[in-house]
Amino acid sequence: MDARALWQRYQDWLYFHEGLGLYLDVSRMRFDDAFVESLQPKFDKAFADMAELEKGAIANPDENRMVGHYWLRNPDLAPSPELTQEIVQTLEKIEAFAEKVQTGAIHPPRASRFTDVISIGIGGSALGPEFVAEALAPDFPPLKIHFIDNTDPAGIDRTLNHLRNNLASTLVLVISKSGGTPEPRNGMIEVKKAYAGHNLDFAQYAVAITSPDSNLDKVAKSEGWLARFPMYDWVGGRTSEMSAVGLVPAALQGIDVRAMLEGAKEMDDATRIPDVKNNPAALLALSWYFSGNGRGEKDMVVLPYKDSLLLFSRYLQQLVMESLGKEKDLDGNVVHQGIAVYGNKGSTDQHAYVQQLREGVPNFFATFIEVLEDRNGSSPEIDPGVTAGDYLSGFLQGTRQALYENQRDSITVTIPQVNPRTVGALIALYERAVGFYASLVNINAYHQPGVEAGKKAAAVILDLQTRVLAVLQKEKTPLSLGEIADKAGAADQIEAIYKILRHLHANQRGVVLQGNLGQPSSLKVSAS
Ligand SMILES: O=P(O)(O)OC[C@H]1O[C@](O)(CO)[C@@H](O)[C@@H]1O
């Protein structure tokens, strides 16, 4: 296509949301009109499915749940007055709590203000808060946020070491929808011990964000934690940023949560329009479908050209891959769906993997996120008439063009600036696009059966560890791995047993390995 025709295509397909100042350009995805036409029946169904879902239909059949994250930003849409009221009241409660913490009306026992906050959670209970903190927290927030989003002991130590002198003024959020996920539970227990080690009463620092009556909720209630906020069963973890999960940490950092909700609401309104060309989420879903033949054959590379949006790709990774990565479709056929997502930020990535994007395996499509405003205030000139922001803008355009010339398609989302409204809108845009795409490929976007397999397998390993340690404690003489496996009644688990013992040995946990470490079968194991 020559430059003139491309310019025409750009204008023909350009979507612009006036209220948000958001543009979506899908002109560099090479679909034609016939393709768009062919997807129309699927889109008719996707629009109808979405309307049902918003009315409260059970859209997550295996978990028998409604899917209502859209109601969080427009509570009047909730299917019952009780739900509407609950959403409104929770938001008011969050704002009141954040204000009291910031003004010192709620303060820790030994300090006049909370200065820091540790947010403990994983997956949907971490990625949204992390993305939003990186994107929107002021340079000098009223409370500085720190995350524990894993069960990595060294990671937990690092966070606690940074806070060693401030623990007495650090609030702790424990975020877990189920209230039973091992990683946040472990984080909570370790942090609780650290507080006890400093003679601090954890309950006076702790806030729970979880489903009412979950294990976490029960602990928080019985121990009299500072506050508890509800997580609703009709909000999935990966779409929970605008529930208490995301709003509590955001509000504590002084981020305008109402503006975030407003931006999301405006985007939700725009993505309700049942017309593909005038619906930005439908345009995204169409582009994804085109690129990967409706089978996820191409990866989504997300490249925001703005440092503060660094974590957007990580956030989208869960939203897209946990929602779309499914073995079976809604009719039970094995389909192995999904779209792989990765990315970091431009122009930084141009000096890393963009080389492969331009010349290597053409197994992806790019999504550029462009921010029109360079910075708050004016920019110095780097060269005559040229600023650092001009470079950034030039690099984005240049990369988009270089990819296109080499048959690599891309989408560009442009926002006027990174602010609570546009971040709320971006989240809402992708949430809806994922919903539409799931409908196009006929899968349930709202469950995650695959994640359970890993959790169950880990539980089996921990149980095996207990059995193996019991065997070793009884024995006087060193045993081979095979002997331990037999005695533990787990002859078929010898490799797992070896790895458990090697890990315990490395951590001086009462296990000694003797022999050639490179030849596991030569090892003799004893309790120390
Ligand atoms: O908030 P929870 O219940 O601790 O779950 C954390 C994450 O774990 C998952 O359930 C997957 O294991 C995600 O869907 C969820 O966001």
Side-chain angles (χ1 to χ4, degrees), residues 472-491:
L472 281 180
Q473 255 123 44
K474 269 201 229 139
E475 292 300 323
K476 301 270 172 295
T477 52
L479 298 175
S480 71
L481 292 170
E483 287 166 335
I484 296 172
D486 285 342
K487 285 178 189 283

Side-chain angles (χ1 to χ4, degrees), residues 15-17 20-24 267 280 413-416 425-426 429:
Y15 171 85
F16 179 58
H17 189 294
L20 292 160
L22 177 145
Y23 301 81
L24 173 65
M267 182 53 76
V413 181
T414 302
I415 53 174
L426 278 178
L429 173 63

Side-chain angles (χ1 to χ4, degrees), residues 343-416:
N344 182 29
K345 66 175 181 181
S347 65
T348 314
D349 290 348
Q350 289 181 218
H351 302 272
Y353 60 80
V354 171
Q355 163 65 28
Q356 175 170 323
L357 298 190
R358 160 88 178 146
E359 295 184 356
V361 203
N363 62 348
F364 71 94
F365 63 97
T367 303
F368 295 100
I369 313 283
E370 178 185 27
V371 181
L372 292 176
E373 183 187 82
D374 285 340
R375 59 154 53 98
N376 186 4
S378 61
S379 289
E381 290 190 354
I382 302 284
D383 300 321
V386 177
T387 65
D390 297 339
Y391 271 93
L392 193 66
S393 174
F395 284 137
L396 190 159
Q397 273 218 52
T399 305
R400 171 176 174 271
Q401 192 176 322
L403 290 180
Y404 188 74
E405 281 164 4
N406 239 9
Q407 312 301 311
R408 273 84 169 149
D409 287 358
S410 67
I411 296 167
T412 304
V413 181
T414 302
I415 53 174

Side-chain angles (χ1 to χ4, degrees), residues 122-125 176-179 181 184 237-238 318 322 448 451 455:
I122 197 164
S125 296
S176 175
K177 176 181 171 181
S178 60
T181 308
R238 54 192 172 273
Q318 187 201 23
E322 204 171 60
Q448 54 284 333
V451 190
K455 286 187 193 169

Side-chain angles (χ1 to χ4, degrees), residues 121-127 175-185 209-211 231 236-240 245 318 322 447-448 451-452 455:
I122 197 164
S125 296
L127 291 160
I175 311 180
S176 175
K177 176 181 171 181
S178 60
T181 308
E183 292 92 335
R185 181 177 166 272
I209 301 169
T210 186
S211 303
M231 171 68 176
R238 54 192 172 273
T239 52
S240 65
V245 167
Q318 187 201 23
E322 204 171 60
H447 66 171
Q448 54 284 333
V451 190
E452 298 309 316
K455 286 187 193 169

Side-chain angles (χ1 to χ4, degrees), residues 86-165:
E86 208 177 340
I87 298 167
V88 172
Q89 284 175 350
T90 303
L91 178 58
E92 286 167 357
K93 193 176 152 198
I94 290 169
E95 288 180 317
F97 177 75
E99 206 208 307
K100 282 186 187 153
V101 168
Q102 285 164 10
T103 56
I106 294 180
H107 62 88
R110 292 198 217 153
S112 60
R113 293 276 163 95
F114 281 107
T115 57
D116 295 78
V117 53
I118 302 178
S119 184
I120 304 174
I122 197 164
S125 296
L127 291 160
E130 286 171 338
F131 163 51
V132 165
E134 186 77 19
L136 298 175
D139 293 342
F140 303 100
L143 275 87
K144 193 167 167 1
I145 197 155
H146 313 260
F147 291 96
I148 292 181
D149 65 357
N150 198 357
T151 183
D152 172 16
I156 296 172
D157 282 352
R158 188 165 52 179
T159 304
L160 289 174
N161 282 338
H162 284 153
L163 283 164
R164 199 176 31 217
N165 299 327

Side-chain angles (χ1 to χ4, degrees), residues 16 73 108 134 156 247 269 286 289 361 373 468 472 501 512:
F16 179 58
R73 39 263 192 167
E134 186 77 19
I156 296 172
L247 298 184
D269 291 344
L286 170 92
Y289 193 102
V361 203
E373 183 187 82
V468 164
L472 281 180
L501 292 168
V512 179

